[in-house]
Amino acid sequence: MTVSFHPDRPALVHRLRAAGCVYAEDEADLLIAAADSPQALADLAARRVAGLPLEHLLGWAEFCGERIAVEPGVFVPRARTALLVDAAAAVTGPAAAVVDLCCGSGATTVALARRLAPRWLAAADVDPAAVACARRNLAPLGVPVFHGDLYAPLPARWRGRLDLVVANAPYVPTAAVALMPPEARLHEAPVALDGGPDGLAVLRRVAAGAARWLAPGGHLVVETSEAQTEALCAALAAAGLRPTVTRDDDRDATAVTARRPA
């Protein structure tokens, strides 16, 4: 870390901790590294204390070892979603055809591009801001990002030919959105958070379309909460898929893998 001024790190750490930042020391270092003047640091600190997400202030988030550009209003990738990437990699063979629905910033797509060797890889999201951000992250990889609702914007010729569909769709019940940390509920798009009355409204639609878009033997992998797995697995089974639940307590993460029978 190289700066052209001498910030008062202990004071900044104290200020961030008083504002409720759990990782105040780490955040202080990141803010200092991002600032090129005392005024710039003061501005960043003030906006962080006011509740803006650290990642939106920095302009990036770390995910699966990658630095992902994140713009204001766009869903910030969570560390727990690394389990979705692990689960997807575990069931996908070489030269797969892969689509990431509800892609947000494109973080999961970037991670899959690194982990797999797909012959097709694409992403899609209904939020225009997320699409613009994902295109920024995925342009260097040559990955197209479609704007639209779930499968709707995908080329029709892909129907029945996808080996892997992943979706970090919203799964927070509507009534619980108001209980989320302010960083999320005030600064991320509601469409990326609100999963309907029981949190599964979007995931049911993902499940219902998967059998039409997956190739025989292909897999759908989604993130959900542990409490929702029974209902989600029932929806996946009703759609003709065979679900399996993967849980990682260390990451407080749950992924459900569902296979289209061959």
Short mmCIF file of all heavy atoms in Angstrom, two decimals, residues 69-139:
data_model
loop_
_atom_site.label_atom_id
_atom_site.label_comp_id
_atom_site.label_asym_id
_atom_site.label_seq_id
_atom_site.Cartn_x
_atom_site.Cartn_y
_atom_site.Cartn_z
N ALA A 69 -15.74 -5.91 -10.57
CA ALA A 69 -16.25 -4.55 -10.54
C ALA A 69 -17.70 -4.56 -10.06
O ALA A 69 -18.51 -5.38 -10.51
CB ALA A 69 -16.16 -3.91 -11.93
N VAL A 70 -18.01 -3.67 -9.13
CA VAL A 70 -19.36 -3.56 -8.58
C VAL A 70 -19.75 -2.08 -8.58
O VAL A 70 -19.05 -1.25 -8.01
CB VAL A 70 -19.44 -4.12 -7.15
CG1 VAL A 70 -20.86 -3.97 -6.60
CG2 VAL A 70 -19.02 -5.58 -7.12
N GLU A 71 -20.87 -1.78 -9.21
CA GLU A 71 -21.31 -0.40 -9.34
C GLU A 71 -22.47 -0.11 -8.40
O GLU A 71 -23.17 -1.04 -7.96
CB GLU A 71 -21.70 -0.14 -10.80
CG GLU A 71 -20.50 -0.32 -11.75
CD GLU A 71 -20.89 -0.32 -13.21
OE1 GLU A 71 -22.09 -0.14 -13.51
OE2 GLU A 71 -19.99 -0.53 -14.05
N PRO A 72 -22.71 1.14 -8.05
CA PRO A 72 -23.81 1.48 -7.14
C PRO A 72 -25.13 0.89 -7.60
O PRO A 72 -25.49 0.93 -8.78
CB PRO A 72 -23.84 3.01 -7.19
CG PRO A 72 -22.41 3.39 -7.48
CD PRO A 72 -21.92 2.33 -8.43
N GLY A 73 -25.86 0.32 -6.64
CA GLY A 73 -27.16 -0.28 -6.92
C GLY A 73 -27.11 -1.73 -7.33
O GLY A 73 -28.13 -2.41 -7.32
N VAL A 74 -25.92 -2.24 -7.65
CA VAL A 74 -25.78 -3.62 -8.11
C VAL A 74 -25.52 -4.53 -6.92
O VAL A 74 -24.79 -4.18 -5.99
CB VAL A 74 -24.66 -3.74 -9.16
CG1 VAL A 74 -24.42 -5.19 -9.55
CG2 VAL A 74 -25.02 -2.91 -10.39
N PHE A 75 -26.12 -5.72 -6.94
CA PHE A 75 -25.95 -6.71 -5.89
C PHE A 75 -24.48 -7.03 -5.69
O PHE A 75 -23.75 -7.32 -6.65
CB PHE A 75 -26.71 -7.98 -6.29
CG PHE A 75 -26.68 -9.09 -5.27
CD1 PHE A 75 -27.56 -9.08 -4.19
CD2 PHE A 75 -25.79 -10.14 -5.41
CE1 PHE A 75 -27.54 -10.11 -3.26
CE2 PHE A 75 -25.77 -11.17 -4.48
CZ PHE A 75 -26.64 -11.16 -3.40
N VAL A 76 -24.03 -6.98 -4.45
CA VAL A 76 -22.63 -7.28 -4.11
C VAL A 76 -22.48 -8.79 -3.94
O VAL A 76 -23.21 -9.40 -3.15
CB VAL A 76 -22.22 -6.56 -2.82
CG1 VAL A 76 -20.82 -6.97 -2.40
CG2 VAL A 76 -22.29 -5.05 -3.01
N PRO A 77 -21.56 -9.44 -4.65
CA PRO A 77 -21.40 -10.89 -4.49
C PRO A 77 -21.02 -11.26 -3.07
O PRO A 77 -20.19 -10.62 -2.45
CB PRO A 77 -20.28 -11.24 -5.48
CG PRO A 77 -19.59 -9.95 -5.78
CD PRO A 77 -20.62 -8.87 -5.63
N ARG A 78 -21.68 -12.30 -2.54
CA ARG A 78 -21.43 -12.78 -1.19
C ARG A 78 -20.44 -13.94 -1.22
O ARG A 78 -20.44 -14.76 -2.15
CB ARG A 78 -22.70 -13.29 -0.54
CG ARG A 78 -23.90 -12.40 -0.27
CD ARG A 78 -23.85 -10.95 -0.41
NE ARG A 78 -25.13 -10.36 0.06
CZ ARG A 78 -25.64 -9.27 -0.43
NH1 ARG A 78 -25.03 -8.61 -1.43
NH2 ARG A 78 -26.78 -8.78 0.06
N ALA A 79 -19.66 -14.03 -0.15
CA ALA A 79 -18.68 -15.12 -0.06
C ALA A 79 -19.35 -16.47 -0.08
O ALA A 79 -18.80 -17.45 -0.61
CB ALA A 79 -17.84 -14.95 1.21
N ARG A 80 -20.58 -16.58 0.47
CA ARG A 80 -21.25 -17.87 0.54
C ARG A 80 -21.54 -18.45 -0.84
O ARG A 80 -21.66 -19.66 -1.00
CB ARG A 80 -22.55 -17.75 1.33
CG ARG A 80 -23.66 -17.00 0.63
CD ARG A 80 -24.99 -17.10 1.37
NE ARG A 80 -24.96 -16.36 2.59
CZ ARG A 80 -25.38 -15.09 2.72
NH1 ARG A 80 -25.83 -14.44 1.64
NH2 ARG A 80 -25.35 -14.47 3.86
N THR A 81 -21.63 -17.58 -1.85
CA THR A 81 -21.96 -18.06 -3.19
C THR A 81 -20.83 -18.87 -3.81
O THR A 81 -21.02 -19.54 -4.83
CB THR A 81 -22.39 -16.88 -4.07
OG1 THR A 81 -23.46 -16.20 -3.42
CG2 THR A 81 -22.87 -17.31 -5.44
N ALA A 82 -19.67 -18.86 -3.18
CA ALA A 82 -18.59 -19.73 -3.64
C ALA A 82 -19.01 -21.20 -3.58
O ALA A 82 -18.51 -22.03 -4.36
CB ALA A 82 -17.33 -19.51 -2.81
N LEU A 83 -19.93 -21.54 -2.68
CA LEU A 83 -20.42 -22.92 -2.63
C LEU A 83 -21.17 -23.27 -3.90
O LEU A 83 -21.06 -24.40 -4.41
CB LEU A 83 -21.33 -23.12 -1.41
CG LEU A 83 -21.95 -24.52 -1.29
CD1 LEU A 83 -20.87 -25.58 -1.11
CD2 LEU A 83 -22.94 -24.58 -0.13
N LEU A 84 -21.94 -22.33 -4.45
CA LEU A 84 -22.63 -22.57 -5.71
C LEU A 84 -21.62 -22.88 -6.81
O LEU A 84 -21.81 -23.80 -7.62
CB LEU A 84 -23.48 -21.36 -6.07
CG LEU A 84 -24.38 -21.44 -7.31
CD1 LEU A 84 -25.59 -20.53 -7.15
CD2 LEU A 84 -23.63 -21.03 -8.57
N VAL A 85 -20.52 -22.13 -6.84
CA VAL A 85 -19.48 -22.36 -7.84
C VAL A 85 -18.86 -23.75 -7.64
O VAL A 85 -18.66 -24.50 -8.61
CB VAL A 85 -18.39 -21.27 -7.75
CG1 VAL A 85 -17.24 -21.57 -8.70
CG2 VAL A 85 -18.99 -19.90 -8.06
N ASP A 86 -18.57 -24.11 -6.40
CA ASP A 86 -17.99 -25.42 -6.11
C ASP A 86 -18.94 -26.54 -6.54
O ASP A 86 -18.52 -27.54 -7.14
CB ASP A 86 -17.69 -25.56 -4.61
CG ASP A 86 -16.55 -24.67 -4.15
OD1 ASP A 86 -15.79 -24.17 -5.00
OD2 ASP A 86 -16.42 -24.47 -2.92
N ALA A 87 -20.23 -26.37 -6.19
CA ALA A 87 -21.21 -27.41 -6.53
C ALA A 87 -21.36 -27.55 -8.04
O ALA A 87 -21.49 -28.66 -8.56
CB ALA A 87 -22.55 -27.08 -5.89
N ALA A 88 -21.34 -26.42 -8.75
CA ALA A 88 -21.46 -26.47 -10.20
C ALA A 88 -20.25 -27.14 -10.83
O ALA A 88 -20.39 -27.97 -11.75
CB ALA A 88 -21.62 -25.05 -10.75
N ALA A 89 -19.06 -26.80 -10.35
CA ALA A 89 -17.84 -27.41 -10.90
C ALA A 89 -17.80 -28.91 -10.65
O ALA A 89 -17.26 -29.66 -11.46
CB ALA A 89 -16.62 -26.73 -10.29
N ALA A 90 -18.40 -29.34 -9.54
CA ALA A 90 -18.35 -30.76 -9.18
C ALA A 90 -19.19 -31.64 -10.11
O ALA A 90 -18.94 -32.84 -10.22
CB ALA A 90 -18.81 -30.94 -7.74
N VAL A 91 -20.19 -31.06 -10.77
CA VAL A 91 -21.09 -31.88 -11.60
C VAL A 91 -20.93 -31.62 -13.09
O VAL A 91 -21.64 -32.23 -13.89
CB VAL A 91 -22.56 -31.66 -11.20
CG1 VAL A 91 -22.80 -32.11 -9.77
CG2 VAL A 91 -22.99 -30.21 -11.40
N THR A 92 -20.02 -30.74 -13.47
CA THR A 92 -19.92 -30.33 -14.87
C THR A 92 -18.64 -30.85 -15.50
O THR A 92 -17.54 -30.66 -14.98
CB THR A 92 -19.96 -28.79 -14.98
OG1 THR A 92 -21.14 -28.32 -14.32
CG2 THR A 92 -20.00 -28.36 -16.44
N GLY A 93 -18.80 -31.49 -16.63
CA GLY A 93 -17.66 -32.03 -17.35
C GLY A 93 -17.02 -30.99 -18.26
O GLY A 93 -17.42 -29.82 -18.28
N PRO A 94 -16.03 -31.42 -19.05
CA PRO A 94 -15.34 -30.49 -19.94
C PRO A 94 -16.22 -30.07 -21.12
O PRO A 94 -17.16 -30.76 -21.49
CB PRO A 94 -14.13 -31.29 -20.42
CG PRO A 94 -14.57 -32.73 -20.29
CD PRO A 94 -15.47 -32.78 -19.11
N ALA A 95 -15.89 -28.91 -21.67
CA ALA A 95 -16.57 -28.39 -22.87
C ALA A 95 -18.07 -28.26 -22.66
O ALA A 95 -18.87 -28.57 -23.55
CB ALA A 95 -16.26 -29.25 -24.09
N ALA A 96 -18.46 -27.79 -21.49
CA ALA A 96 -19.88 -27.68 -21.18
C ALA A 96 -20.49 -26.42 -21.78
O ALA A 96 -19.80 -25.43 -22.02
CB ALA A 96 -20.08 -27.68 -19.66
N ALA A 97 -21.80 -26.46 -21.98
CA ALA A 97 -22.58 -25.28 -22.35
C ALA A 97 -23.21 -24.75 -21.07
O ALA A 97 -24.00 -25.44 -20.43
CB ALA A 97 -23.65 -25.64 -23.37
N VAL A 98 -22.87 -23.51 -20.69
CA VAL A 98 -23.18 -22.99 -19.35
C VAL A 98 -23.88 -21.64 -19.46
O VAL A 98 -23.46 -20.77 -20.23
CB VAL A 98 -21.89 -22.84 -18.52
CG1 VAL A 98 -22.21 -22.30 -17.12
CG2 VAL A 98 -21.14 -24.16 -18.42
N VAL A 99 -24.93 -21.46 -18.65
CA VAL A 99 -25.61 -20.17 -18.55
C VAL A 99 -25.78 -19.82 -17.07
O VAL A 99 -26.17 -20.67 -16.26
CB VAL A 99 -26.98 -20.19 -19.25
CG1 VAL A 99 -27.78 -18.94 -18.89
CG2 VAL A 99 -26.81 -20.27 -20.76
N ASP A 100 -25.48 -18.56 -16.75
CA ASP A 100 -25.66 -18.02 -15.40
C ASP A 100 -26.83 -17.06 -15.42
O ASP A 100 -26.75 -15.97 -15.99
CB ASP A 100 -24.37 -17.30 -14.97
CG ASP A 100 -24.46 -16.68 -13.59
OD1 ASP A 100 -25.42 -16.96 -12.86
OD2 ASP A 100 -23.55 -15.89 -13.24
N LEU A 101 -27.95 -17.48 -14.79
CA LEU A 101 -29.13 -16.62 -14.70
C LEU A 101 -29.05 -15.77 -13.44
O LEU A 101 -28.42 -16.15 -12.47
CB LEU A 101 -30.40 -17.47 -14.66
CG LEU A 101 -30.65 -18.40 -15.85
CD1 LEU A 101 -31.95 -19.18 -15.62
CD2 LEU A 101 -30.72 -17.62 -17.16
N CYS A 102 -29.75 -14.63 -13.45
CA CYS A 102 -29.70 -13.70 -12.30
C CYS A 102 -28.24 -13.39 -11.97
O CYS A 102 -27.82 -13.48 -10.81
CB CYS A 102 -30.42 -14.28 -11.10
SG CYS A 102 -32.11 -14.81 -11.41
N CYS A 103 -27.48 -13.01 -12.99
CA CYS A 103 -26.02 -12.96 -12.87
C CYS A 103 -25.50 -11.80 -12.05
O CYS A 103 -24.34 -11.81 -11.63
CB CYS A 103 -25.38 -12.94 -14.25
SG CYS A 103 -25.63 -11.40 -15.18
N GLY A 104 -26.32 -10.75 -11.83
CA GLY A 104 -25.82 -9.61 -11.07
C GLY A 104 -24.60 -9.00 -11.72
O GLY A 104 -24.58 -8.71 -12.92
N SER A 105 -23.54 -8.86 -10.96
CA SER A 105 -22.30 -8.27 -11.46
C SER A 105 -21.53 -9.20 -12.40
O SER A 105 -20.55 -8.78 -13.01
CB SER A 105 -21.39 -7.91 -10.29
OG SER A 105 -21.00 -9.09 -9.60
N GLY A 106 -21.97 -10.45 -12.49
CA GLY A 106 -21.24 -11.43 -13.30
C GLY A 106 -20.18 -12.17 -12.52
O GLY A 106 -19.39 -12.91 -13.11
N ALA A 107 -20.17 -12.03 -11.20
CA ALA A 107 -19.12 -12.65 -10.38
C ALA A 107 -19.10 -14.17 -10.53
O ALA A 107 -18.02 -14.77 -10.71
CB ALA A 107 -19.32 -12.27 -8.91
N THR A 108 -20.27 -14.80 -10.46
CA THR A 108 -20.31 -16.26 -10.59
C THR A 108 -19.87 -16.68 -11.98
O THR A 108 -19.16 -17.68 -12.14
CB THR A 108 -21.72 -16.77 -10.30
OG1 THR A 108 -22.07 -16.45 -8.94
CG2 THR A 108 -21.82 -18.27 -10.48
N THR A 109 -20.25 -15.93 -13.00
CA THR A 109 -19.84 -16.25 -14.37
C THR A 109 -18.33 -16.20 -14.51
O THR A 109 -17.72 -17.07 -15.15
CB THR A 109 -20.49 -15.27 -15.36
OG1 THR A 109 -21.81 -14.95 -14.93
CG2 THR A 109 -20.54 -15.87 -16.75
N VAL A 110 -17.71 -15.17 -13.94
CA VAL A 110 -16.25 -15.07 -13.98
C VAL A 110 -15.62 -16.28 -13.31
O VAL A 110 -14.67 -16.89 -13.84
CB VAL A 110 -15.77 -13.77 -13.31
CG1 VAL A 110 -14.25 -13.76 -13.17
CG2 VAL A 110 -16.23 -12.55 -14.09
N ALA A 111 -16.12 -16.65 -12.13
CA ALA A 111 -15.56 -17.78 -11.41
C ALA A 111 -15.73 -19.08 -12.19
O ALA A 111 -14.81 -19.91 -12.24
CB ALA A 111 -16.23 -17.90 -10.04
N LEU A 112 -16.87 -19.26 -12.83
CA LEU A 112 -17.09 -20.47 -13.63
C LEU A 112 -16.18 -20.50 -14.85
O LEU A 112 -15.69 -21.56 -15.24
CB LEU A 112 -18.56 -20.55 -14.06
CG LEU A 112 -19.56 -20.83 -12.94
CD1 LEU A 112 -20.98 -20.68 -13.47
CD2 LEU A 112 -19.35 -22.22 -12.36
N ALA A 113 -15.95 -19.34 -15.43
CA ALA A 113 -15.03 -19.29 -16.57
C ALA A 113 -13.63 -19.74 -16.18
O ALA A 113 -12.93 -20.37 -16.99
CB ALA A 113 -14.98 -17.87 -17.14
N ARG A 114 -13.23 -19.43 -14.95
CA ARG A 114 -11.91 -19.83 -14.47
C ARG A 114 -11.87 -21.30 -14.09
O ARG A 114 -10.85 -21.97 -14.29
CB ARG A 114 -11.52 -18.99 -13.25
CG ARG A 114 -11.55 -17.48 -13.45
CD ARG A 114 -10.63 -17.01 -14.54
NE ARG A 114 -10.54 -15.54 -14.54
CZ ARG A 114 -10.14 -14.83 -15.59
NH1 ARG A 114 -9.81 -15.43 -16.72
NH2 ARG A 114 -10.08 -13.51 -15.50
N ARG A 115 -12.97 -21.81 -13.53
CA ARG A 115 -12.99 -23.18 -13.02
C ARG A 115 -13.27 -24.22 -14.10
O ARG A 115 -12.78 -25.35 -14.04
CB ARG A 115 -14.05 -23.30 -11.91
CG ARG A 115 -13.75 -22.56 -10.62
CD ARG A 115 -12.75 -23.31 -9.76
NE ARG A 115 -13.27 -24.57 -9.30
CZ ARG A 115 -13.98 -24.73 -8.17
NH1 ARG A 115 -14.26 -23.67 -7.41
NH2 ARG A 115 -14.39 -25.92 -7.80
N LEU A 116 -14.10 -23.85 -15.06
CA LEU A 116 -14.51 -24.78 -16.10
C LEU A 116 -13.83 -24.41 -17.42
O LEU A 116 -13.15 -23.40 -17.51
CB LEU A 116 -16.03 -24.74 -16.27
CG LEU A 116 -16.86 -24.96 -15.00
CD1 LEU A 116 -18.35 -24.76 -15.31
CD2 LEU A 116 -16.61 -26.33 -14.41
N ALA A 117 -14.04 -25.24 -18.42
CA ALA A 117 -13.57 -24.91 -19.77
C ALA A 117 -14.78 -24.99 -20.70
O ALA A 117 -14.88 -25.86 -21.56
CB ALA A 117 -12.48 -25.88 -20.22
N PRO A 118 -15.75 -24.10 -20.53
CA PRO A 118 -17.01 -24.21 -21.27
C PRO A 118 -16.85 -23.91 -22.75
O PRO A 118 -16.06 -23.07 -23.14
CB PRO A 118 -17.91 -23.18 -20.59
CG PRO A 118 -16.96 -22.18 -20.02
CD PRO A 118 -15.73 -22.93 -19.63
N ARG A 119 -17.64 -24.59 -23.56
CA ARG A 119 -17.65 -24.25 -24.98
C ARG A 119 -18.61 -23.11 -25.25
O ARG A 119 -18.43 -22.34 -26.20
CB ARG A 119 -18.00 -25.48 -25.83
CG ARG A 119 -19.43 -25.98 -25.74
CD ARG A 119 -19.65 -27.19 -26.66
NE ARG A 119 -21.03 -27.62 -26.72
CZ ARG A 119 -21.63 -28.39 -25.81
NH1 ARG A 119 -20.94 -28.80 -24.76
NH2 ARG A 119 -22.89 -28.76 -25.94
N TRP A 120 -19.67 -23.01 -24.45
CA TRP A 120 -20.56 -21.85 -24.43
C TRP A 120 -20.60 -21.35 -23.00
O TRP A 120 -20.66 -22.14 -22.06
CB TRP A 120 -22.00 -22.18 -24.81
CG TRP A 120 -22.25 -22.84 -26.12
CD1 TRP A 120 -21.42 -22.89 -27.20
CD2 TRP A 120 -23.44 -23.54 -26.50
NE1 TRP A 120 -22.01 -23.57 -28.22
CE2 TRP A 120 -23.25 -23.99 -27.82
CE3 TRP A 120 -24.64 -23.83 -25.87
CZ2 TRP A 120 -24.22 -24.72 -28.51
CZ3 TRP A 120 -25.61 -24.55 -26.54
CH2 TRP A 120 -25.40 -24.99 -27.85
N LEU A 121 -20.59 -20.07 -22.85
CA LEU A 121 -20.79 -19.47 -21.53
C LEU A 121 -21.49 -18.14 -21.74
O LEU A 121 -21.05 -17.31 -22.54
CB LEU A 121 -19.46 -19.25 -20.80
CG LEU A 121 -19.52 -18.59 -19.42
CD1 LEU A 121 -20.38 -19.38 -18.45
CD2 LEU A 121 -18.12 -18.38 -18.86
N ALA A 122 -22.61 -17.96 -21.04
CA ALA A 122 -23.37 -16.72 -21.16
C ALA A 122 -24.00 -16.41 -19.82
O ALA A 122 -24.09 -17.25 -18.93
CB ALA A 122 -24.45 -16.85 -22.24
N ALA A 123 -24.43 -15.15 -19.68
CA ALA A 123 -25.07 -14.70 -18.45
C ALA A 123 -26.31 -13.89 -18.82
O ALA A 123 -26.43 -13.40 -19.95
CB ALA A 123 -24.11 -13.86 -17.62
N ALA A 124 -27.21 -13.74 -17.84
CA ALA A 124 -28.42 -12.97 -18.08
C ALA A 124 -28.92 -12.37 -16.78
O ALA A 124 -28.74 -12.95 -15.70
CB ALA A 124 -29.51 -13.85 -18.71
N ASP A 125 -29.56 -11.21 -16.87
CA ASP A 125 -30.18 -10.59 -15.71
C ASP A 125 -31.29 -9.66 -16.18
O ASP A 125 -31.22 -9.11 -17.29
CB ASP A 125 -29.14 -9.81 -14.89
CG ASP A 125 -29.58 -9.61 -13.44
OD1 ASP A 125 -30.51 -8.82 -13.21
OD2 ASP A 125 -29.00 -10.24 -12.55
N VAL A 126 -32.28 -9.47 -15.32
CA VAL A 126 -33.42 -8.61 -15.66
C VAL A 126 -33.15 -7.14 -15.34
O VAL A 126 -33.84 -6.26 -15.85
CB VAL A 126 -34.68 -9.10 -14.92
CG1 VAL A 126 -34.60 -8.81 -13.43
CG2 VAL A 126 -35.95 -8.54 -15.54
N ASP A 127 -32.15 -6.86 -14.52
CA ASP A 127 -31.84 -5.51 -14.06
C ASP A 127 -30.84 -4.85 -15.02
O ASP A 127 -29.72 -5.33 -15.17
CB ASP A 127 -31.27 -5.56 -12.65
CG ASP A 127 -30.91 -4.18 -12.10
OD1 ASP A 127 -31.33 -3.18 -12.70
OD2 ASP A 127 -30.20 -4.11 -11.09
N PRO A 128 -31.22 -3.74 -15.66
CA PRO A 128 -30.30 -3.11 -16.62
C PRO A 128 -28.97 -2.70 -16.00
O PRO A 128 -27.92 -2.80 -16.65
CB PRO A 128 -31.08 -1.88 -17.10
CG PRO A 128 -32.51 -2.20 -16.84
CD PRO A 128 -32.52 -3.05 -15.62
N ALA A 129 -28.99 -2.23 -14.74
CA ALA A 129 -27.73 -1.83 -14.10
C ALA A 129 -26.82 -3.04 -13.90
O ALA A 129 -25.60 -2.94 -14.08
CB ALA A 129 -28.01 -1.15 -12.76
N ALA A 130 -27.40 -4.17 -13.52
CA ALA A 130 -26.61 -5.38 -13.35
C ALA A 130 -26.03 -5.85 -14.69
O ALA A 130 -24.88 -6.26 -14.77
CB ALA A 130 -27.46 -6.49 -12.72
N VAL A 131 -26.84 -5.77 -15.75
CA VAL A 131 -26.36 -6.18 -17.07
C VAL A 131 -25.17 -5.34 -17.51
O VAL A 131 -24.16 -5.86 -18.01
CB VAL A 131 -27.51 -6.09 -18.10
CG1 VAL A 131 -26.98 -6.27 -19.52
CG2 VAL A 131 -28.56 -7.15 -17.80
N ALA A 132 -25.26 -4.03 -17.29
CA ALA A 132 -24.15 -3.15 -17.67
C ALA A 132 -22.90 -3.49 -16.88
O ALA A 132 -21.78 -3.51 -17.42
CB ALA A 132 -24.54 -1.70 -17.44
N CYS A 133 -23.05 -3.77 -15.58
CA CYS A 133 -21.91 -4.11 -14.75
C CYS A 133 -21.32 -5.45 -15.15
O CYS A 133 -20.10 -5.61 -15.25
CB CYS A 133 -22.36 -4.13 -13.28
SG CYS A 133 -21.03 -4.37 -12.08
N ALA A 134 -22.19 -6.44 -15.40
CA ALA A 134 -21.71 -7.76 -15.82
C ALA A 134 -20.97 -7.69 -17.15
O ALA A 134 -19.95 -8.36 -17.35
CB ALA A 134 -22.88 -8.73 -15.90
N ARG A 135 -21.48 -6.88 -18.07
CA ARG A 135 -20.80 -6.74 -19.36
C ARG A 135 -19.40 -6.16 -19.18
O ARG A 135 -18.45 -6.56 -19.87
CB ARG A 135 -21.64 -5.88 -20.30
CG ARG A 135 -22.85 -6.62 -20.86
CD ARG A 135 -23.77 -5.75 -21.68
NE ARG A 135 -24.84 -6.55 -22.26
CZ ARG A 135 -25.96 -6.05 -22.78
NH1 ARG A 135 -26.15 -4.73 -22.80
NH2 ARG A 135 -26.89 -6.85 -23.28
N ARG A 136 -19.26 -5.24 -18.23
CA ARG A 136 -17.94 -4.68 -17.94
C ARG A 136 -16.99 -5.77 -17.43
O ARG A 136 -15.82 -5.83 -17.84
CB ARG A 136 -18.09 -3.58 -16.90
CG ARG A 136 -16.78 -2.96 -16.43
CD ARG A 136 -17.05 -1.90 -15.37
NE ARG A 136 -15.83 -1.44 -14.72
CZ ARG A 136 -15.82 -0.69 -13.64
NH1 ARG A 136 -16.97 -0.30 -13.08
NH2 ARG A 136 -14.68 -0.30 -13.10
N ASN A 137 -17.49 -6.65 -16.56
CA ASN A 137 -16.65 -7.70 -16.00
C ASN A 137 -16.37 -8.83 -16.99
O ASN A 137 -15.31 -9.46 -16.92
CB ASN A 137 -17.31 -8.28 -14.75
CG ASN A 137 -17.18 -7.36 -13.54
OD1 ASN A 137 -16.09 -6.90 -13.23
ND2 ASN A 137 -18.29 -7.11 -12.86
N LEU A 138 -17.32 -9.08 -17.88
CA LEU A 138 -17.22 -10.27 -18.73
C LEU A 138 -16.71 -9.98 -20.14
O LEU A 138 -16.36 -10.91 -20.86
CB LEU A 138 -18.58 -10.97 -18.80
CG LEU A 138 -19.03 -11.56 -17.47
CD1 LEU A 138 -20.49 -11.99 -17.53
CD2 LEU A 138 -18.14 -12.74 -17.08
N ALA A 139 -16.64 -8.70 -20.51
CA ALA A 139 -16.13 -8.37 -21.84
C ALA A 139 -14.73 -8.92 -22.09
O ALA A 139 -14.45 -9.45 -23.18
CB ALA A 139 -16.16 -6.86 -22.05
#
